[in-house]
Amino acid sequence: MSILTGRRPVSLIGFSFGARVIYKCLKEIARHQREWLEKKENDRNLREPASIIEDVILMGLPNHYNRDTWCDIRRVVNGRLVNCYSKNDWILQIMFQLKKISVKPVCGTIPIDIDRVESYDVSQIIQNHGDYCVKVSEILKMVGFSKSVR
């Protein structure tokens, strides 16, 4: 990772497919972090991948649960890693399962029980998957994310 990425960490917030894009990017950063750690002589022009991401909030994540992946991405998020899920999200519970033909639970419908991963049940706010787009501010208040959102 080039030093040209800047020095300030970023916070990432996403719902539905946006959350999935963030999740996949975090997996890639975790891969780069492993490579960075394996190199004995770290080039000063390369930024440590784990120094890029501050906070991450994932809402209604359409991805099957994988404990190893969550542990990997936890290592590259310096601040809060938040999973917001709704037991009412039948789109994820049924449609995503049919698409992938799997019995693994979907992250956007379950709490993630991993150290330093915060899980918030937003079922009282989210009645269906389409609610996320209009309830983001409410969810951010619920999880205590006070940084300005534009």
Side-chain angles (χ1 to χ4, degrees), residues 9-15 18-19 21-27 29 52-59 76-77 80-83 136 140 143 145 147 149:
V10 297
S11 293
L12 303 171
I13 301 169
F15 66 88
V21 169
I22 292 169
Y23 181 84
K24 296 291 186 183
C25 289
L26 291 172
K27 282 177 63 172
I29 291 171
I52 296 171
I53 308 298
E54 182 65 30
D55 298 315
V56 174
I57 300 175
L58 304 171
M59 298 173 271
V76 297
V77 176
R80 298 175 67 194
L81 176 54
V82 178
N83 174 55
V136 170
L140 293 178
V143 303
F145 190 77
K147 296 177 181 157
V149 179

Side-chain angles (χ1 to χ4, degrees), residues 20-51:
R20 186 176 168 105
V21 169
I22 292 169
Y23 181 84
K24 296 291 186 183
C25 289
L26 291 172
K27 282 177 63 172
E28 185 66 12
I29 291 171
R31 185 183 66 77
H32 281 278
Q33 179 68 15
R34 284 190 299 277
E35 290 174 2
W36 190 86
L37 290 170
E38 288 171 2
K39 292 181 181 178
K40 297 290 184 201
E41 67 291 336
N42 287 318
D43 185 344
R44 284 185 184 223
N45 292 326
L46 295 178
R47 179 176 180 181
E48 181 179 4
S51 69

